[in-house]
């Protein structure tokens, strides 16, 4: 039964229970630096800045024109005593409120060139403009001006700098600023907590909450909302309950705001406690549109569509009508859980009730359809929209990227450029991710060139995507070049490089990079150790892998997760230590999942241990009875032991239950176009030329002494038929196409969705000698770089 949210029954986490109580505001200590007096025009500037919130973009432009014409003559809009400086501050703020940050930065540049020097009211506004544009370079220039102008005493300016760095993806600079602040107010703490949460560094964010409370800082409403949002992201409502208790204890003096209570509802919803959220919602005396939306979204998330609809109707009966923001949040929620049926219902509701189809709402619908994999409806919605901005173009491109539609994604990107829409870093990250999955190195290089040509700011997220793309496309030198040229590296970028080296078989280099990461003070996380353990596994570094697995918990306090146990089973299994791998599974603190048993089964197949393999396969089929891969592996295990009747039984069962084998598929990129092949494929336009090259390859392989390894063909057929099957494997078709389609001596890069078979591996080594080519193959597990008759994996895969 779900725990009640009554304060007396709430078990508090130790670090919060003693701290979330009414705390007096801290007094100013004698050693605190005395702030400089505000500028003479501070009152006029503040009044003008506040006034800016009320004007549209067109009105702002008209006021701007008036100021230029009259040379800063006072207007009936701004206070009579407004100086040129105050009037320009007004314009900067108004442009930012109207989402025109470039105009704001142009005005700031004008102020720097004239007598109207920027003040401590100007700086936070232009820093917000830099954040909107993700322009780290301009933000750093303004930071330099702040230091020269002596504004670093101003906590408001300091907070704005932190927020700018965070939103530009430079968390390291934000953290450094926070650590060096002489005085921090509640906004400083709140900004830093939110920044950590944005970057998914939840442990660091929670630690900062603890430090803030221990420092005697009484949380503001914004800080409380940020804390609740953090606990919602973490998904642990036991950490958020003390905040609920704090709100109740302080309600006698100050009633919780609607916004804070709404954040509390959202926190309970996201932590899976829908009944607790409903109790908070029902007790609210005043409910905003956002409160209703949060509760309805909660029932959508818990897939209780009936209650969600009832609440939507009840909301209207209470004369609270859903607005665009409400519908936006509900559509987004449908996308997040992949509920296409309700998403379509909401779309129809929007149309029936006369909602204006704004760009934001249209973008949310496109994104929802994409996440529900209804790309036809997404594209139809996209094509009907007027005034498409970068967000909707990016949403549609992301939809194609997530479904691996590389041609459609790049065609749309070309159309976007033709429409003079400048891509942003999110657009490029999606395209780079698509190139990573498809192994499309040429397209990935082209995107890298576009980033430079378009002048897109290289923030840490985009740079990490470039490192990941180059590594996954097999160009580890380019990945390392991007990595080393970056000064602001976070843990995600280190992880991308470590995992890239691991995938490409550089075991010793991965360990060296891990040591370097430690030296520069970047703390490894769970993902880091997955990369290091994979590197040990692919390189046969068994003892080193055991040491890293042990030091995770002892040295870093990281409890190994199922993924880490999977890496260890894989490490031991590849090395042939099957009994030790099985014993590790038996000693696991958690129930082994498909990752664990799958690693053991694969090792049993490689090392031909049918008894243990059958045990692993049966455990897998208990967990996923309809998986074609595990059924096939079980069939292969029986075939290794020549138990043909059991092989036939497994195949018959698959046919009876409608389970289809996943076909082996290999992709190759030639001249920016990705070509895909399956075994025996004759559908390619150049099929005759491919078949001719395939025959030539087989002839030359025989002359070179290659004998087909039929041990990987688990069919009850004669040897000649098995050889024919091997000759038409998808990777050989892709190599043949690469040989006829690319200039001599150029590398051939292919990507396969399954593990490379023994025969193809041996044949490819010989083909590199015969044709003088480097052939790079990425299979399901790792990269194989074939060159001059050998492979980078050293036949250990």
């Amino acid at each position: 039964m779900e725990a009640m949210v009554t304060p007396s029954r709430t078990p508090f986490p130790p670090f919060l229970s003693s701290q979330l109580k009414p705390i007096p505001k801290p007094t100013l200590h004698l050693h605190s630096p005395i702030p400089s007096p505000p500028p003479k025009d501070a009152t006029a500037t503040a009044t003008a800045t506040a006034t800016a919130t009320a004007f549209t973009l067109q009105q702002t432009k008209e006021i701007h024109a008036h100021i230029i014409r009259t040379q800063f003559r006072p207007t009936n809009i701004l206070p009579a005593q407004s100086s040129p400086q105050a009037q320009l501050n007004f314009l900067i703020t108004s442009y930012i409120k109207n989402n025109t940050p470039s105009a704001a930065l142009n005005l700031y540049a004008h102020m720097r060139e004239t007598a109207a020097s920027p003040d401590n009211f100007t700086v936070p506004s232009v820093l917000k403009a830099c954040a909107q544009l993700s322009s780290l370079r301009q933000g750093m220039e303004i930071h330099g001006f702040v230091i020269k102008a002596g504004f670093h005493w101003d906590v408001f300016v300091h907070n704005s700098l932190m927020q700018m760095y965070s939103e530009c993806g430079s968390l390291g600079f934000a953290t450094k600023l926070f650590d060096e602040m002489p005085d921090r107010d509640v906004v400083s703490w709140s900004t830093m907590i939110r920044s950590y949460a944005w970057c998914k560094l939840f442990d660091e964010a929670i630690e900062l909450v603890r430090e803030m409370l221990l420092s005697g800082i009484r949380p503001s409403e914004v800080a409380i909302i940020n804390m609740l949002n953090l606990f919602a992201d973490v998904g642990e409502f036991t950490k958020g309950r003390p905040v609920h208790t704090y709100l109740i204890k302080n309600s006698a003096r100050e009633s919780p705001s609607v916004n804070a209570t709404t954040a509390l509802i959202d926190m309970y919803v996201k932590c899976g406690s829908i009944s607790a959220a409903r109790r908070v919602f029902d007790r609210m005396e005043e409910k905003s549109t956002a409160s209703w939306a949060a509760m309805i979204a909660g029932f959508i998330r818990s897939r209780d569509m009936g209650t969600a609809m009832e609440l939507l109707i009840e909301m209207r009966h209470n004369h609270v009508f859903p607005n665009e923001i409400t519908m936006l949040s509900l559509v987004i929620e449908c996308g997040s859980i992949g509920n296409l049926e309700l998403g379509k219902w909401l779309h129809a509701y929007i149309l029936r009730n006369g909602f204006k189809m704004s760009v934001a709402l249209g973008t949310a619908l496109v994104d929802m359809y994409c996440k529900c994999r209804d790309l036809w409806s997404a594209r139809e919605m996209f094509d009907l929209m007027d005034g498409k901005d970068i967000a909707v173009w990016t949403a549609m491109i992301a939809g194609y990227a997530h479904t691996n539609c590389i041609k459609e994604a790049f065609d749309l990107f070309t159309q976007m450029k033709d429409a003079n829409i400048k891509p942003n870093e999110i657009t490029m990250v999606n395209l780079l991710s698509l190139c990573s999955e498809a192994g499309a190195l040429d397209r990935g290089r082209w995107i890298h060139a576009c980033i430079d040509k378009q002048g897109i700011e290289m923030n840490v997220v985009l740079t990490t995507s470039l490192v990941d793309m180059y590594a996954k496309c097999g160009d580890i030198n380019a990945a390392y070049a991007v990595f080393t040229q970056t000064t602001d590296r976070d843990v995600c970028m280190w992880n991308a490089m470590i995992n890239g080296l691991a995938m490409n078989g550089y075991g010793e280099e991965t360990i060296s990079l891990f040591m370097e990461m430690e030296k520069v003070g970047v703390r490894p996380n769970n993902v880091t150790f997955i990369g290091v353990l994979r590197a040990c596994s692919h390189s046969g570094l068994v003892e080193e892998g055991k040491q890293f697995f042990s030091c995770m918990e002892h040295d870093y306090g990281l409890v190994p997760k199922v993924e880490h146990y999977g890496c260890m089973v894989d490490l031991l299994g590849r090395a042939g230590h099957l009994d030790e791998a099985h014993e590790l599974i038996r000693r696991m603190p958690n129930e082994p999942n498909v990752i664990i048993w799958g690693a053991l089964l694969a090792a049993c197949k490689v090392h031909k241990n049918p008894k243990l393999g059958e045990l692993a396969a049966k455990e897998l089929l208990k967990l996923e009875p309809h998986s074609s891969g595990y059924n096939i592996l079980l069939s292969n295990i029986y075939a290794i032991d020549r138990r043909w009747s059991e092989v036939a039984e497994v195949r018959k069962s698959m046919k009876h239950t409608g389970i289809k084998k996943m076909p082996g598929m290999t992709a190759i990129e030639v001249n920016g176009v990705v070509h895909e092949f399956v075994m025996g494929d004759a559908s390619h336009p150049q099929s005759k030329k491919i078949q001719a090259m395939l025959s030539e390859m087989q002839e030359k392989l025989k002359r070179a002494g290659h004998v087909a390894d039929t041990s990987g063909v688990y069919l009850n057929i004669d040897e000649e038929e098995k050889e024919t099957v091997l000759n038409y494997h998808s990777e050989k078709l892709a190599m043949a196409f690469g040989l006829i389609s690319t200039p001599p001596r150029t590398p051939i890069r292919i990507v396969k969705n399954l593990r490379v078979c023994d025969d193809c591996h041996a044949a490819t080594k010989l083909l590199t000698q015969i044709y003088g080519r480097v052939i790079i193959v990425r299979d399901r597990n790792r990269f194989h770089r074939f060159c001059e008759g050998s492979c980078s994996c050293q036949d250990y895969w």
Side-chain angles (χ1 to χ4, degrees):
M1 184 180 292
E2 187 174 317
M4 298 291 288
V5 293
T6 311
S8 60
R9 300 184 186 179
T10 304
F12 294 164
F15 77 87
L16 280 176
S17 59
S18 62
Q19 298 304 324
L20 278 176
K21 59 183 73 172
I23 299 171
K25 291 185 178 179
T27 55
L28 184 69
H29 297 286
L30 291 177
H31 63 269
S32 300
I34 300 171
S36 304
K40 294 179 182 178
D41 202 35
T43 305
T45 300
T47 306
T49 302
T51 308
T53 61
F55 291 91
T56 64
L57 179 59
Q58 183 58 37
Q59 290 171 324
T60 304
K61 287 179 177 179
E62 290 170 1
I63 297 166
H64 191 173
H66 171 82
I67 289 172
I68 292 171
R69 283 197 309 271
T70 63
Q71 293 295 301
F72 298 100
R73 191 178 302 155
T75 71
N76 56 358
I77 295 166
L78 300 174
Q81 71 271 31
S82 295
S83 67
Q85 186 182 54
Q87 292 183 43
L88 289 172
N89 282 345
F90 159 82
L91 286 173
I92 288 170
T93 304
S94 192
Y95 275 126
I96 291 168
K97 295 286 184 184
N98 284 287
N99 199 30
T100 316
S102 297
L105 288 174
N106 289 337
L107 272 175
Y108 165 76
H110 172 75
M111 291 180 78
R112 292 287 304 274
E113 293 168 1
T114 62
S117 179
D119 59 15
N120 57 323
F121 286 94
T122 318
V123 169
S125 294
V126 292
L127 287 171
K128 189 176 288 186
C130 294
Q132 287 178 358
L133 293 168
S134 296
S135 179
L136 180 61
R137 186 181 293 111
Q138 285 181 288
M140 293 179 80
E141 289 173 357
I142 294 166
H143 189 176
F145 167 76
V146 165
I147 295 170
K148 288 177 184 176
F151 295 147
H152 49 282
W153 56 263
D154 191 322
V155 70
F156 186 40
V157 171
H158 232 123
N159 292 340
S160 300
L161 278 166
M162 282 166 47
Q163 184 149 346
M164 179 276 296
Y165 279 124
S166 297
E167 292 185 20
C168 288
S170 186
L171 185 64
F173 285 133
T175 305
K176 191 171 188 299
L177 268 174
F178 179 79
D179 290 342
E180 294 175 355
M181 283 182 77
D183 285 301
R184 302 168 185 157
D185 63 7
V186 68
V187 178
S188 314
W189 290 92
S190 184
T191 300
M192 203 62 237
I193 290 166
R194 186 172 65 248
S195 298
Y196 277 132
W198 277 344
C199 296
K200 309 297 183 189
L201 298 174
F202 299 124
D203 291 342
E204 289 83 348
I206 291 171
E207 176 63 20
L208 211 58
V209 169
R210 188 187 72 82
E211 287 181 26
M212 180 184 83
L213 298 171
L214 289 173
S215 298
I217 302 293
R218 183 171 180 262
S220 65
E221 179 186 330
V222 173
I224 285 172
I225 290 171
N226 283 336
M227 288 161 63
L228 289 169
N229 289 341
L230 167 64
F231 298 135
D233 288 334
V234 173
E236 296 181 20
F237 71 88
T238 52
K239 286 186 169 69
R241 272 178 160 176
V243 182
H244 188 180
T245 305
Y246 175 83
L247 289 171
I248 293 170
K249 284 183 177 179
N250 282 270
S251 62
R253 182 181 59 186
E254 183 182 359
S255 297
S257 71
V258 174
N259 291 338
T261 311
T262 300
L264 187 63
I265 292 169
D266 185 62
M267 185 270 294
Y268 279 125
V269 161
K270 288 178 179 174
C271 292
S273 185
I274 192 73
S275 57
R278 185 63 191 262
R279 285 194 293 273
V280 174
F281 177 79
D282 289 341
R283 290 170 187 165
M284 289 181 74
E285 293 179 7
E286 179 188 352
K287 298 181 179 78
S288 66
T289 307
S291 310
W292 285 93
M295 197 66 249
I296 294 167
F299 284 111
I300 292 173
R301 180 178 288 248
S302 60
R303 291 176 167 77
D304 186 349
M305 303 308 162
T307 308
M309 297 302 170
E310 288 171 11
L311 268 183
L312 195 58
I313 294 166
E314 185 184 339
M315 176 182 179
R316 297 190 67 180
H317 287 165
N318 281 272
H319 305 291
V320 180
F321 296 96
N323 55 21
E324 181 187 337
I325 297 172
T326 313
M327 302 314 296
L328 203 61
S329 65
L330 298 182
V331 168
I332 290 169
E333 199 64 53
C334 287
S336 69
I337 66 168
N339 192 318
L340 180 60
E341 184 182 357
L342 183 60
K344 285 184 172 180
W345 186 91
L346 287 169
H347 190 178
Y349 181 93
I350 289 165
L351 296 174
R352 281 198 310 269
N353 288 276
F355 280 88
K356 180 185 175 184
M357 189 59 72
S358 67
V359 174
L361 193 52
T363 302
L365 284 165
V366 169
D367 185 61
M368 181 273 295
Y369 281 123
C370 286
K371 286 177 178 172
C372 293
R373 293 184 171 267
D374 185 355
L375 292 182
W376 187 87
S377 296
R379 187 57 188 263
E380 186 179 43
M381 182 72 216
F382 175 85
D383 290 338
L384 288 171
M385 286 178 66
D386 294 321
K388 291 188 273 283
D389 63 5
I390 181 59
V392 70
W393 284 93
T394 299
M396 193 67 239
I397 288 170
Y400 285 132
H402 295 155
T403 49
N404 292 326
C405 298
I406 191 164
K407 181 180 182 301
E408 291 81 355
F410 276 88
D411 285 349
L412 194 63
F413 180 63
T414 302
Q415 291 177 36
M416 186 181 88
K417 292 207 303 174
D418 291 342
N420 293 320
I421 302 293
K422 183 181 177 181
N424 59 20
E425 71 278 2
I426 301 171
T427 320
M428 297 315 206
V429 165
N430 277 292
L431 290 170
L432 288 169
S433 172
L434 181 53
C435 294
S436 299
E437 290 304 311
L441 180 61
D442 289 345
R443 286 185 183 267
R445 285 171 174 161
W446 182 71
I447 289 296
H448 192 174
C450 282
I451 291 167
D452 294 337
K453 187 176 179 181
Q454 295 280 343
I456 297 171
E457 196 73 40
M458 286 291 290
N459 62 24
V460 69
V461 176
L462 186 53
T463 310
T464 301
S465 296
L466 273 171
V467 171
D468 185 63
M469 181 276 295
Y470 279 122
K472 286 182 177 175
C473 289
D475 193 344
I476 199 68
N477 290 329
Y480 193 68
V482 173
F483 176 80
T484 54
Q485 288 163 14
T486 307
T487 53
D488 184 26
R489 304 176 199 147
D490 64 2
V491 68
C492 296
M493 189 180 296
W494 284 91
N495 288 346
M497 194 66 242
I498 283 171
N499 277 279
L501 286 168
M503 183 185 289
N504 282 271
Y506 293 96
E508 298 287 352
E509 291 81 356
T510 303
I511 293 172
S512 295
L513 193 65
F514 177 85
M515 300 301 181
E516 185 183 339
M517 179 182 179
E518 285 187 309
K519 283 180 186 176
V520 299
V522 178
R523 185 177 177 80
N525 59 18
N526 282 306
V527 178
T528 317
F529 279 98
I530 289 173
V532 173
L533 291 173
R534 277 180 180 166
C536 294
S537 178
H538 290 313
S539 301
L541 303 172
V542 177
E543 292 307 315
E544 291 86 344
K546 289 179 179 179
Q547 289 172 12
F548 278 113
F549 185 72
S550 175
C551 83
M552 268 187 72
E553 191 165 6
H554 295 146
D555 297 348
Y556 297 97
L558 297 170
V559 178
K561 296 184 177 180
V562 69
E563 294 86 357
H564 302 99
Y565 279 98
C567 290
M568 285 303 297
V569 171
D570 188 57
L571 169 73
L572 295 168
R574 284 177 192 274
H577 303 168
L578 299 179
D579 291 334
E580 189 177 351
H582 187 212
E583 182 60 27
L584 179 65
I585 294 172
R586 293 177 60 185
R587 290 189 286 105
M588 276 179 62
N590 301 320
E591 282 295 316
N593 65 1
V594 293
I595 296 172
I596 303 296
W597 290 115
L600 182 63
L601 178 57
C604 290
K605 178 175 173 288
V606 170
H607 294 286
K608 297 179 173 55
N609 186 327
K611 185 178 178 181
L612 190 55
E614 184 177 4
L615 184 151
K618 288 182 175 177
E619 291 293 336
L620 278 165
L621 291 173
K622 286 179 189 175
L623 297 168
E624 289 190 7
H626 300 294
S627 167
S628 65
Y630 303 139
N631 276 280
I632 292 297
L633 277 171
L634 177 59
S635 169
N636 293 346
I637 289 288
Y638 287 142
I640 289 169
D641 212 23
R642 296 191 171 276
R643 293 156 63 181
W644 298 115
S645 60
E646 278 107 325
V647 171
E649 191 63 35
V650 172
R651 304 272 175 165
K652 183 180 176 182
S653 174
M654 287 177 65
K655 187 175 181 180
H656 179 71
T657 54
I659 301 172
K660 294 183 179 180
K661 179 185 176 182
M662 180 193 293
M665 183 178 291
T666 303
I668 179 171
E669 183 191 27
V670 176
N671 297 325
V673 179
V674 176
H675 303 259
E676 293 182 341
F677 296 89
V678 294
M679 191 180 82
D681 201 339
S683 62
H684 195 276
Q686 298 187 53
S687 181
K688 288 183 179 180
K689 291 182 179 179
I690 293 169
Q691 296 298 325
M693 174 52 72
L694 204 58
S695 298
E696 180 188 307
M697 287 162 55
Q698 297 308 321
E699 183 63 31
K700 289 187 175 182
L701 281 169
K702 283 182 180 178
R703 286 183 198 166
H706 175 67
V707 178
D709 182 356
T710 59
S711 63
V713 181
Y714 303 109
L715 299 172
N716 192 14
I717 55 178
D718 62 38
E719 288 301 305
E720 187 176 346
E721 288 177 296
K722 288 183 179 181
E723 285 189 34
T724 303
V725 169
L726 290 172
N727 292 342
Y728 287 92
H729 273 189
S730 61
E731 54 264 57
K732 286 178 179 166
L733 291 169
M735 286 179 214
F737 178 67
L739 287 169
I740 65 173
S741 305
T742 58
R745 301 291 172 184
T746 58
I748 294 174
R749 300 172 187 273
I750 65 175
V751 177
K752 185 173 182 182
N753 65 334
L754 303 176
R755 182 182 181 273
V756 173
C757 77
D758 294 344
D759 181 71
C760 287
H761 194 271
T764 307
K765 287 195 290 185
L766 277 175
L767 288 171
T768 60
Q769 286 182 315
I770 293 168
Y771 290 98
R773 298 283 195 119
V774 172
I775 300 176
I776 300 161
V777 181
R778 187 181 95 194
D779 72 3
R780 185 176 58 188
N781 296 322
R782 61 168 298 156
F783 274 93
H784 301 264
R785 184 183 178 87
F786 298 93
C787 182
E788 296 180 354
S790 64
C791 179
S792 60
C793 75
Q794 299 177 13
D795 298 339
Y796 186 85
W797 88 103

